[in-house]
Each structure stands twice: as C-alpha cells, then as structure tokens.
Amino acid sequence: MKIVTKNISIKNEIFTLTNQRAAFWGKEKALILSDLHIGKTAHFRKNGIALANHIIKNDLERLSILIEYFQPEKFVVVGDLIHAGDNSEVDEFCSWRNQYHDLQFYLIEGNHDRISKKLESKLCLNFKAKHLESENFIFIHDFEEKQEKFQITGHIHPGFVINSSVKSIKLPCFVVTENQLLLPAFSEFTGLDTKNLPKKGRFYVFTDAEIYEI
C-alpha cells in the first residue's frame, strides 16, 4: 500500500490529506476519517447476500499502516463507525482496537451509529457525542447550514467524475470549501455520491498512486 500525501491549510492549520481516505491534523496529532461502516458486509451476509469478509480486513490493515505512518495520539471518526449494530465484524474491529491502548478514540455519532451502552463499552471509546469542538473547528457527521465554525464532516461519501474520450472514471475525493472539509468514506465498500456535493469547493481526487487538486 502506497501512502500519498498533500498538505493543505485551513484556518492557519495544516491538514495532511492522504490517498488512503484519511486526513491527519498535525497540531493535534489526530488521524481523522469517516464512514467506516463496520459490519456492513456481515449485515449483508446475514440477509442472504454472499460477500467475502476481506473488506473489513483490508480496511483495518490500511488503518494500521496509517497509524504506523503518522504515529497519532488521537483517532477521530466523524460518524458512521458502525453500519448496523453489533455483529462479527464489530468483534474483529474491537480486537484490532485493543492493539492501540494509548490511542485516544473519539467517535462523532453518525446516522448509522445506534450504539447501546454495552456496545459503547465494547468499542473502548474515550469520547462519544454528536459533535466535537475546538477553537476553530467543529467535527460533525453531516453539514449544518447555520453552524458558524469551520466544519469537518463525512456522510456524503464524495466522488468526482473524470471524463475522457474513452470512458468516465468515478474516484473518491476530499472537498474543501470556505467553511467545510468533507471527508471521503474510509471503507472501500461504499458508493460514491457525485451529485450532492458542496458548492464552490476544491476537489482533491485521489488514486492508489496520486492526489490531484481540481
């Protein structure tokens, strides 16, 4: 797995975007991502749709490599950590999580995060709330029009269509506007929304090898 990075400045802070669907906030030593949707493939299998379980393994392997690369002190998930409650993939995630006792785990609740007290304890969360605020930023799953602070969000699973004379290619991306950083979905087992994106944004589209600013 190749990690490609691009530094951008937001509110005089440096954020490092990666082609591995996560960002790093150097000042706070925080690895930031959204929409893991843990348990999604297990949920499909439970409902009779045959899917391989390598997707969660690949996602967790990418996370481990990112943690090794950035050496974060905080792990911030901006919503939709869980897809459909507790299941075998949640167990797998919790086993993975137990490797990182010193890593502070923050969950900003998303629309899929229906987490019981029992499951919250199992996940070893250090923080769980609808939003997390700092001096200049607010982490929240879905963008809020009336919010005054710069918002770091997920939920949309943003994608960008690159057209050529041969075919159109749809790629995941980050989107940055004057008041929002929209994160891509971390899990590769998600669709891409190319329509409901922020207006007047800069798009940071990425592949396995490069990040392009559009």
Side-chain angles (χ1 to χ4, degrees):
M1 183 185 98
K2 179 180 180 181
I3 297 178
V4 181
T5 64
K6 184 174 185 62
N7 289 339
I8 62 171
S9 178
I10 302 174
K11 300 292 184 182
N12 297 315
E13 299 275 1
I14 299 299
F15 286 78
T16 302
L17 311 183
T18 78
N19 68 329
Q20 299 301 327
R21 300 171 177 250
F24 183 68
W25 184 10
K27 179 183 175 182
E28 293 295 325
K29 297 183 179 179
L31 184 65
I32 306 165
L33 50 138
S34 185
D35 295 276
L36 279 83
H37 288 277
I38 294 164
K40 186 174 182 179
T41 53
H43 178 70
F44 275 58
R45 287 195 297 273
K46 183 179 179 181
N47 287 277
I49 302 172
L51 291 172
N53 68 350
H54 70 274
I55 295 168
I56 181 65
K57 296 182 186 300
N58 290 349
D59 286 346
L60 295 180
E61 181 180 354
R62 283 192 296 122
L63 262 178
S64 291
I65 293 171
L66 285 164
I67 288 170
E68 179 66 25
Y69 184 89
F70 286 109
Q71 295 291 304
E73 295 178 357
K74 301 172 185 175
F75 172 45
V76 181
V77 178
V78 190
D80 287 357
L81 170 69
I82 303 298
H83 183 75
D86 201 354
N87 61 29
S88 60
E89 287 185 4
V90 175
D91 292 336
E92 193 166 348
F93 173 81
C94 290
S95 295
W96 172 87
R97 163 73 176 107
N98 287 334
Q99 301 174 75
Y100 303 102
H101 297 291
D102 296 330
L103 190 60
Q104 295 290 300
F105 185 8
Y106 294 74
L107 174 61
I108 313 309
E109 295 172 272
N111 52 296
H112 280 272
D113 291 316
R114 295 180 289 275
I115 297 175
S116 65
K117 288 293 184 183
K118 181 179 178 181
L119 180 53
E120 182 177 348
S121 176
K122 181 178 176 178
L123 289 167
C124 300
L125 299 172
N126 299 104
F127 175 92
K128 179 173 76 73
K130 294 293 185 183
H131 64 268
L132 172 65
E133 291 191 54
S134 68
E135 182 179 357
N136 293 317
F137 305 102
I138 182 167
F139 296 81
I140 190 165
H141 184 56
D142 195 9
F143 183 79
E144 292 186 351
E145 290 287 348
K146 296 182 180 180
Q147 177 57 240
E148 294 183 358
K149 287 189 175 182
F150 188 96
Q151 300 179 58
I152 298 175
T153 72
H155 186 57
I156 298 295
H157 307 180
F160 191 90
V161 177
I162 296 177
N163 295 305
S164 73
S165 58
V166 179
K167 64 178 180 179
S168 296
I169 302 172
K170 189 185 293 186
L171 294 171
C173 64
F174 297 83
V175 187
V176 181
T177 70
E178 64 179 3
N179 57 1
Q180 180 185 15
L181 166 59
L182 172 59
L183 303 166
F186 186 80
S187 177
E188 295 181 344
F189 186 46
T190 55
L192 295 177
D193 189 338
T194 61
K195 299 181 184 297
N196 299 303
L197 301 178
K199 308 300 183 186
K200 298 181 181 179
R202 286 176 286 141
F203 295 83
Y204 294 90
V205 180
F206 53 86
T207 67
D208 290 340
E210 295 181 273
I211 300 176
Y212 308 88
E213 181 179 351
I214 298 175

